[in-house]
Amino acid sequence: MEEDTKPLLIPVGGDECNYGIMNIQFSPEDFKCKRPFHVEPTNIVSASDDMQRVSDEASAMNKRIHYYSRLTSPSDKALVAPDHVLPAPDEIYVYSPLGTAFKVDSCTDGYGKNSSIVTIFVIWNTMMGTSILSIPWGIKQAGFTSGVILIVLMGILTLYCCYRVVKSRKMIPLTDTSNWEFPDVCKYYFGSFGQWSSLLFSMVSLVGAMVVYWVLMSNFLFNTGKFIYNFVHDINVTDIVPGTNGSNKVICPNAAGDHPPQNRSVMFSSGNSTGFQLFEEWWSKSQTVPFYLIAVLLPLLNLKSPSFFAKFNVLGTVSVIYLVLLVTVKAAHLGIHLEFNWFTENEFFVPEFRVLFPQLTGVLTLAFFIHNCVITLLQNNKNQENNVRDLSIAYFLVGLTYLYVGVIIFASFPSPPLSKECIEQNFLDNFPSNDIMSFIARIFLLFQMITVYPLLGYLARVQLLRQVFGTAYPSVFHVLALNIAIVGAGVAMARFYPNIGGIIRYSGATCGLAFVFVYPSLIYVISLHRAGQLTWPALIIHVFIILLGLANLIAQFLL
């Protein structure tokens, strides 16, 4: 009888547990904290081998859960389901956004079980992306000394702004923000404008990353196919571009101009030259290969759940580690080639300080960008009091990785005989297609990007279609139309503008303007003002950060 006196609907707060959006563990003593979801048995992992993995009763309870969840908007969290519609502890599963279901065990503090080391590694792995391939080019554009300084300063600045993102939820009074992401915080302060603008800039970062991936996949597939064809047919091909001699050959692909022909090579073989010419006609980096990728990637984008590809995330770590190894080996063979010219440029070296430095800051904005998902990543940290420390260590390791790759590639680039201006936007392009270590790196990166690309497409689909239609899969037509538009953008860029440095700069500076510079600083200033704690130094510092972000974006279009 005592149970019947409980209210049917329980408002969030009071003794309700405040758990994060990515938390999948619950305390068995407190049923109010449970959020069960019924899923098909084929999608359940970490479960027993029994055929009946979710009972019919739990499935029926799930329908009641959905009823209660629709009584108010998800972001408000004003109502939670009462105890009598919750299944038993051994029948509770939590559905992952990537399409799998995890059986709930138990927890003690309401947060995930990741240790600090795992949390640091996850942030490092998430932040490391395609930008690492353009860091040496960015250092060349800025000048060696100014490039190193900018990597350090941009790392510190983006870390501070990321810290402000992490703390933004706790500065909202009298509201349960435990399940909020940063776009929810933007909506709280700026209303529908904050909601839609954060969606817009988030889409810019996702689509920009997908376009960069398409350009790089076209590049890697072209060079991989060229290597395999030459090896199978025992063809010795020499590219018609300047380069060094010896076993560790380094080339300068753009020495003939900004847009050299794609397949310029001379064949030294007694075989059939007609077949080789036909191969080069149908295997072109910009004319044909970008279209071949459509047959593989467009069907993958239309999958309702890309959970299978999430299992290959470890390839990102393997790829970065192998790139560091490649850079180390190449530098050991090539040696160090540095000459410090502070403001003047000569035939083989660039000045230490150049006016093109904003091109590096644009790349670094995306290279250090994790602000739209950092709250989720830190929510799984077992020791929440170490969040700031772990975030700082992760940023330090990311900056150290960028510095190592960028500095070593720039310093070991053989000048003379080649000029430092020959450093490509993708530094792997400075190694010929028949280079074994570069071939392995391209294979790793190609396979990694093929597995990550559907995940990026899924995130873009969820964010846009759910916001517009209320569901991530309104119809096959809507999903197919969105995916064709994204793929078309990638093909167009690979065909007409295969400039990954430019794409990274523009997308990084654009999304960074909102998520890195403007929103974190503006939200902090507004919260201090509402609390009556705003001071002139705090206001000046954060207005200056906003102006830096705006200048960073404008400079990308002026240089």
Side-chain angles (χ1 to χ4, degrees):
M1 294 297 294
E2 187 175 336
E3 292 290 328
D4 295 335
T5 62
K6 293 184 178 182
L8 181 63
L9 297 177
I10 306 171
V12 170
D15 59 350
E16 170 76 359
C17 290
N18 296 327
Y19 290 165
I21 191 170
M22 292 294 290
N23 183 30
I24 62 171
Q25 302 163 335
F26 306 97
S27 173
E29 289 80 16
D30 190 353
F31 283 5
K32 298 184 182 69
C33 301
K34 300 182 177 67
R35 298 290 185 272
F37 294 84
H38 170 64
V39 296
E40 295 296 327
T42 55
N43 282 335
I44 296 178
V45 297
S46 300
S48 64
D49 295 329
D50 299 335
M51 292 299 295
Q52 186 69 17
R53 302 191 183 186
V54 179
S55 68
D56 294 335
E57 182 183 2
S59 178
M61 289 181 178
N62 168 71
K63 293 182 175 59
R64 299 173 198 159
I65 292 291
H66 281 285
Y67 167 75
Y68 288 110
S69 67
R70 292 180 181 277
L71 294 178
T72 184
S73 63
S75 61
D76 292 340
K77 304 294 180 186
L79 301 174
V80 296
D83 293 349
H84 69 272
V85 302
L86 297 176
D90 59 346
E91 294 180 332
I92 295 179
Y93 297 85
V94 174
Y95 185 70
S96 163
L98 295 180
T100 55
F102 300 86
K103 190 164 185 175
V104 173
D105 296 321
S106 62
C107 70
T108 57
D109 56 3
Y111 291 98
K113 293 183 178 180
N114 289 347
S115 64
S116 289
I117 295 178
V118 173
T119 301
I120 292 168
F121 176 77
V122 168
I123 295 175
W124 176 86
N125 188 42
T126 304
M127 214 183 309
M128 298 298 301
T130 56
S131 300
I132 193 173
L133 299 174
S134 295
I135 295 296
W137 171 82
I139 292 178
K140 181 256 294 186
Q141 296 298 96
F144 180 71
T145 300
S146 57
V148 172
I149 294 174
L150 284 174
I151 292 176
V152 175
L153 293 180
M154 284 295 293
I156 295 174
L157 179 59
T158 51
L159 169 61
Y160 173 75
C161 294
C162 199
Y163 166 78
R164 294 265 60 98
V165 171
V166 173
K167 295 295 184 181
S168 61
R169 296 185 308 170
K170 297 183 179 180
M171 303 191 72
I172 299 177
L174 305 177
T175 304
D176 175 25
T177 61
S178 57
N179 288 336
W180 284 23
E181 289 293 319
F182 191 57
D184 297 315
V185 178
C186 295
K187 182 180 179 181
Y188 173 84
Y189 282 99
F190 308 115
S192 59
F193 173 79
Q195 178 185 7
W196 286 99
S197 60
S198 62
L199 172 65
L200 173 63
F201 288 111
S202 182
M203 288 297 296
V204 168
S205 65
L206 285 172
V207 175
M210 295 180 75
V211 169
V212 172
Y213 270 41
W214 200 279
V215 174
L216 287 174
M217 285 187 293
S218 301
N219 181 310
F220 297 149
L221 182 59
F222 167 76
N223 284 286
T224 301
K226 187 176 179 181
F227 176 90
I228 294 174
Y229 181 88
N230 295 340
F231 180 80
V232 170
H233 294 84
D234 194 22
I235 296 175
N236 181 17
V237 175
T238 301
D239 296 322
I240 308 179
V241 290
T244 60
N245 298 319
S247 58
N248 292 283
K249 186 176 178 63
V250 178
I251 61 175
C252 185
N254 286 336
D258 293 334
H259 301 282
Q262 295 297 322
N263 293 18
R264 300 186 60 194
S265 56
V266 173
M267 182 183 69
F268 296 94
S269 173
S270 58
N272 184 5
S273 61
T274 304
F276 178 76
Q277 293 173 358
L278 186 63
F279 168 75
E280 287 206 319
E281 180 181 349
W282 288 96
W283 195 256
S284 170
K285 186 187 295 185
S286 63
Q287 303 290 336
T288 59
V289 173
F291 294 93
Y292 296 154
L293 288 170
I294 298 177
V296 177
L297 294 175
L298 186 57
L300 298 181
L301 283 177
N302 288 283
L303 296 176
K304 282 191 175 182
S305 173
S307 58
F308 171 76
F309 300 103
K311 301 175 182 179
F312 296 95
N313 281 344
V314 68
L315 289 176
T317 305
V318 175
S319 299
V320 173
I321 294 175
Y322 182 79
L323 282 177
V324 172
L325 175 64
L326 180 148
V327 167
T328 305
V329 172
K330 292 294 185 183
H333 286 92
L334 295 172
I336 302 299
H337 305 268
L338 284 177
E339 180 179 306
F340 294 93
N341 300 298
W342 295 103
F343 300 103
T344 59
E345 184 172 357
N346 60 32
E347 182 180 358
F348 300 108
F349 297 93
V350 297
E352 299 303 301
F353 299 94
R354 305 181 75 182
V355 295
L356 298 176
F357 71 89
Q359 295 184 352
L360 175 59
T361 61
V363 171
L364 291 174
T365 305
L366 190 62
F368 287 111
F369 182 73
I370 200 176
H371 301 64
N372 60 342
C373 62
V374 66
I375 291 177
T376 299
L377 296 178
L378 289 176
Q379 205 125 29
N380 281 335
N381 194 357
K382 183 178 181 180
N383 303 308
Q384 291 290 299
E385 67 276 7
N386 296 333
N387 278 349
V388 175
R389 183 201 68 183
D390 296 345
L391 180 65
S392 302
I393 295 175
Y395 259 86
F396 172 77
L397 294 178
V398 170
L400 194 63
T401 306
Y402 289 149
L403 272 174
Y404 181 82
V405 173
V407 168
I408 293 298
I409 286 292
F410 183 90
S412 63
F413 194 83
S415 302
L418 301 178
S419 170
K420 296 291 187 183
E421 290 286 0
C422 289
I423 297 177
E424 291 291 303
Q425 297 180 7
N426 169 12
F427 74 81
L428 291 177
D429 286 344
N430 285 117
F431 303 107
S433 58
N434 60 355
D435 183 85
I436 297 296
M437 291 196 69
S438 301
F439 167 74
I440 297 174
R442 293 181 180 112
I443 287 288
F444 268 124
L445 291 169
L446 176 61
F447 190 70
Q448 177 214 351
M449 291 180 182
I450 289 177
T451 58
V452 172
Y453 192 84
L455 296 175
L456 295 176
Y458 174 79
L459 293 175
R461 185 177 79 210
V462 167
Q463 290 193 16
L464 182 62
L465 298 186
R466 182 170 289 171
Q467 192 70 38
V468 176
F469 299 101
T471 176
Y473 207 96
S475 69
V476 176
F477 172 78
H478 289 95
V479 174
L480 183 61
L482 175 62
N483 291 335
I484 290 177
I486 294 175
V487 167
V491 172
M493 285 296 184
R495 172 69 179 85
F496 301 106
Y497 189 72
N499 184 340
I500 68 163
I503 301 171
I504 291 174
R505 288 192 298 117
Y506 296 135
S507 59
T510 302
C511 66
L513 175 65
F515 284 110
V516 179
F517 299 105
V518 175
Y519 285 155
S521 299
L522 199 56
I523 287 173
Y524 182 62
V525 169
I526 293 175
S527 62
L528 288 180
H529 176 71
R530 291 179 178 179
Q533 299 175 353
L534 181 62
T535 62
W536 279 108
L539 178 62
I540 293 174
I541 290 173
H542 291 87
V543 169
F544 179 68
I545 291 176
I546 294 174
L547 293 177
L548 282 179
L550 184 62
N552 183 43
L553 176 61
I554 295 175
Q556 307 308 317
F557 297 92
L558 298 180
L559 298 175

